[in-house]
């Protein structure tokens, strides 16, 4: 079929929408990932299995280009592909951001509220008339418009319609239905008009008409994911003055587009734009959806004093928005953000001090103070929160904020000022059940608090991913006694369901590893910065307790690999020790001989295929040995990788994916890994294994994969 014939075919809109939905789904990683970087040169249909070749999912640019191309076919394809094209928005370039604001936000100077409401009412009335028997009757159409105006709320200074010209000869006056808010949301106006049309038609002939929703040319209602992970202004040759006084991402612009995104469920910020996270922006993010604590219901929780009509309308608009499910604030430390964060917590989450004030003083504060009734404000919709590296928030503000989310499943507090009291309060929650937790480099925590939380709290009983990373700079607070209690008594350790574990820098020795319960689900293990732990002890633990570990980190671990501080050790001996005591015993199939089945071969004792090593050790390995090659990240991390081993799926076989070794040199995965090795660190920020940062926005946790600035924090930075 030719392209012209294909574009002229009238397919059902449901079919076109299903095709676009499948294209979008092809860009989503599967629940169980392959742990490998995405092969951007691969093609073909994704397998949806944890496979590296064929790929399990398409890269995001491929999906975006496919949907954008479908928008150019014809109007039907445009209507079907547009919602999926706008579903996930990633801000990358400053000029792209300005275009995004122009496309989504409402410029009230160029397009007034009156003109938008007038045009929308006329279009909605005409669409409703076309759906009924009024399309050919002009008088009936004008009467429908007049009835619509009467149904909508009128302000106090409205002009009496009887004083105007007769109904059939006048156009509807949008001035009489102007919203109370000076900056209303377009989607809210359209929804109100649609409800009004339905009410008018139902009053004439109840339960007969299906009113078409007025079309909104702005795509903000389609956006469910917004992040600034790739946003940069570096390289634009802007002066310091321009960077301070002429910012691209400002609080007003962010607030403007958030108002037009009622279905937003995931938001990601970075240190490159945290100056735009003002108090109004935080209010737009968190004070939406079904809040608990009585917002809008004075009988419960907290309620505001002396709300104006405009403020009440804003609260009503936010209540009709979807709950935010994921927020990532990695690295946000600017003074603007910190001050706005503190004010947000003080205003909404901390009860005011019970102090006596004079009448004049109370009258002055009445408009901005809140009243604590019974129940604190909570956000039950938010499930995933990332605050890695948010170091400037004091504990008295950090604690109430974290405790305000009773439905958390993913929580990244690495590098924050979390205290034992906050961790104890979190552990006392009766609703939080964490699946993924990161407490790396939390220097204010005590060994006892971590032990009590992991062993005795039901909040941590279902953990599948745990990051307690520490190094020589930020020492681990854990003691050997408490670590033994954790590995022997913590429900998450005893259950054997851990998939990611990093106890780097902790007092791990032979005794601790011997007391470990079997970990059959463990895929990524961090044992870095343990200079006294021998390779043979690690080898025994891998074979006996965690044979399914694929990624192992050994930075500055083991005296056999430490040739920098020991005069008796040399780089050559360290390389021999690595291959003799670790790589060969764990990744090589055992020798077997059989006359009946000469081609049968036993699998290796473990699935080990990636080992992270220190920079000096990687330098000693040179070009590697055989299929084992060195792949460096964009930063200071590097891995020793078996490039001939990965998860491979065979579409149509019905067996899912399998871990294959000894792939041929022409295999796409091996070719791609060879290119990454030859790049010597000149790779994308998403290249690497064993992430240090939790993937929050999509919910893939510490086994997820990210690029951009989030990817640099995950795979490039040493800490």
């Amino acid at each position: 079929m030719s392209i012209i014939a294909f574009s002229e075919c009238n397919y059902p809109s449901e079919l076109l929408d299903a095709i676009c939905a499948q294209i979008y789904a092809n860009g989503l990683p599967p629940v169980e990932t392959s742990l490998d970087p995405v092969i951007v040169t691969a093609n073909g249909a994704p397998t949806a299995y944890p496979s590296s070749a064929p790929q399990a999912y398409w890269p995001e640019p491929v999906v975006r280009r496919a949907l954008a191309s479908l928008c150019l076919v014809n109007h039907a394809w445009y209507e079907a592909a547009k919602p999926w094209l706008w579903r996930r928005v990633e801000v990358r370039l400053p000029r792209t951001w300005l275009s995004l604001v122009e496309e989504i936000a409402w410029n009230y100077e160029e397009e007034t509220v009156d003109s938008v409401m007038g045009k929308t009412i006329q279009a909605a009335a005409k669409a409703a008339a076309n759906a009924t028997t009024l399309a050919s009757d002009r008088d009936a159409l004008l009467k429908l418009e007049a009835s619509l105006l009467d149904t909508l709320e009128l302000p106090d200074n409205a002009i009496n319609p009887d004083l105007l010209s007769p109904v059939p000869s006048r156009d509807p006056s949008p001035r009489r239905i102007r919203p109370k808010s000076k900056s209303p949301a377009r989607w809210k106006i359209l929804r109100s008009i649609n409800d009004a049309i339905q009410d008018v038609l139902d009053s004439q002939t109840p339960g007969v008409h299906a009113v078409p929703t007025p079309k909104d040319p702005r795509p903000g209602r389609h956006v469910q994911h917004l992040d600034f992970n790739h946003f940069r202004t570096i390289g634009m040759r802007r002066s310091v003055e321009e960077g301070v006084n002429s910012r691209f991402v400002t609080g007003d612009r962010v607030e403007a587009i958030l108002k037009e995104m009622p279905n937003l469920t995931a938001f990601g910020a970075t240190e490159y734009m945290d100056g735009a996270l003002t108090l109004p922006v935080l209010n737009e993010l968190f004070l939406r959806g079904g809040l608990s604590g009585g917002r809008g219901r004075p009988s419960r929780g907290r309620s505001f004093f002396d709300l104006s009509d405009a403020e009440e309308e804003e609260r009503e608009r936010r209540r009709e928005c979807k709950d935010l499910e994921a927020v990532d604030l990695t690295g946000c430390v600017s003074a603007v953000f910190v001050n706005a964060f503190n004010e947000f917590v003080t205003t909404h989450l901390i009860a005011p001090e019970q102090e006596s004030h004079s009448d004049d003083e109370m009258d002055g504060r009445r408009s901005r103070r809140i009243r604590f009734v019974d129940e604190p404000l909570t956000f039950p919709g938010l499930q995933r929160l990332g605050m890695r590296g948010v170091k400037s928030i004091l504990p008295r503000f950090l604690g109430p904020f974290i405790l305000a989310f009773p439905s958390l499943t993913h929580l990244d507090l690495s590098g924050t000022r979390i205290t034992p009291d906050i961790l104890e309060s979190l552990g006392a929650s009766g609703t939080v059940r964490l699946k993924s937790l990161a407490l790396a480099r939390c220097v204010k925590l005590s060994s006892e608090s971590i032990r009590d939380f992991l062993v005795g709290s039901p909040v941590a009983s279902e953990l599948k991913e745990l990051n307690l990373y520490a190094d020589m700079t930020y020492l681990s607070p854990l003691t050997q006694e408490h670590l033994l209690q954790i590995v022997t008594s913590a429900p998450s350790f005893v259950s054997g369901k851990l998939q990611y574990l990093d106890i780097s820098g902790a007092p791990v020795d032979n005794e601790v590893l011997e007391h470990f319960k079997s970990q059959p689900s463990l895929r990524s293990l961090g044992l870095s910065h343990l200079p006294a732990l021998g390779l043979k002890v690690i080898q025994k633990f891998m074979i006996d307790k965690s044979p399914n570990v694929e990624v192992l980190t050994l930075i500055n671990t083991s005296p056999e690999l430490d040739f920098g501080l020991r005069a008796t050790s040399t780089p050559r001996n360290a390389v021999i020790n690595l291959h003799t005591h670790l790589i060969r015993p764990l990744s090589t199939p055992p020798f077997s001989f059989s006359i009946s089945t000469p081609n049968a071969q036993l699998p290796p004792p473990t699935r080990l295929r990636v080992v992270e090593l220190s920079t000096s050790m990687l330098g000693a390995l040179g070009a590697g040995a055989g299929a084992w090659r060195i792949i460096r990240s964009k930063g200071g991390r590097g891995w020793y990788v078996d490039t001939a081993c990965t998860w491979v799926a065979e579409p149509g076989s019905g067996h899912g994916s399998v871990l294959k070794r000894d792939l041929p040199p022409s295999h796409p995965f091996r070719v791609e890994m060879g290119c990454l090795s030859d790049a010597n660190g000149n790779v994308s920020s998403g290249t690497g294994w064993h992430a240090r940062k939790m993937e929050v926005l999509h919910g893939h946790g510490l086994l997820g994969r990210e690029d951009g600035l989030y990817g640099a924090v995950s795979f490039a930075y040493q800490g």
Side-chain angles (χ1 to χ4, degrees), residues 114 121 142 173 187 193 195 203 261 325 342 371 401 439 474 501 541 572 582 625 673 710 717:
D114 293 345
I121 290 174
L142 293 177
S173 174
W187 63 269
I193 293 176
D195 294 341
S203 64
M261 296 180 179
E325 298 178 1
N342 295 345
R371 174 165 52 94
F401 183 74
L439 296 174
Y474 297 89
L501 177 63
F541 172 78
R572 183 171 179 268
L582 198 71
M673 293 298 104
Y710 292 164
Y717 299 165

Side-chain angles (χ1 to χ4, degrees), residues 566-630:
R566 299 175 184 272
T568 57
S569 180
T570 63
R572 183 171 179 268
N573 291 337
V575 172
I576 294 175
N577 291 333
L578 176 66
H579 280 271
T580 303
H581 300 305
L582 198 71
I583 292 180
R584 188 179 301 168
L586 299 182
S587 62
T588 304
F591 175 78
S592 63
F593 177 77
S594 175
I595 298 178
S596 59
T597 55
N599 294 328
Q601 189 178 29
L602 296 175
T606 71
R607 291 178 174 178
L608 182 68
R609 57 191 183 95
V610 178
V611 181
E612 183 176 4
L613 299 168
S614 63
T615 304
S616 57
M617 188 64 202
L618 293 175
L621 287 168
W628 285 83
R629 302 284 300 276
I630 297 173

Side-chain angles (χ1 to χ4, degrees), residues 439-491:
L439 296 174
R441 289 184 164 187
C442 293
V443 295
K444 288 185 174 293
L445 290 178
S446 64
S447 179
E448 185 177 2
S449 64
I450 298 176
R451 187 273 314 270
D452 294 342
F453 181 78
L454 295 177
V455 174
S457 173
V459 174
S461 60
E462 302 176 6
L463 280 177
K464 294 183 178 180
E465 301 168 356
L466 177 61
N467 184 3
L468 299 175
Y469 174 87
D471 52 23
M472 303 301 180
T473 304
Y474 297 89
L475 301 179
S476 173
L478 285 171
T479 63
Q480 184 181 21
E481 177 186 359
H482 291 157
L483 183 58
L484 276 173
Q485 296 178 15
I486 290 174
V487 301
T488 56
S489 304

Side-chain angles (χ1 to χ4, degrees), residues 542-563:
M542 294 276 291
I543 296 176
D544 297 341
K545 303 294 180 66
S546 56
N548 294 324
V549 168
E550 303 174 41
V551 182
L552 176 66
T553 72
L554 295 177
I555 301 175
N556 299 327
T557 294
S558 178
E560 292 95 332
L561 303 181
D562 186 9
F563 61 85

Side-chain angles (χ1 to χ4, degrees), residues 497-517:
K497 295 182 180 180
L498 281 174
Q499 299 178 1
Y500 175 106
L501 177 63
D502 197 327
I503 49 176
S504 300
V508 180
D509 56 10
N510 186 22
E511 182 181 4
V512 172
L513 294 182
E514 285 182 352
H515 283 82
F516 253 89
K517 306 297 181 181

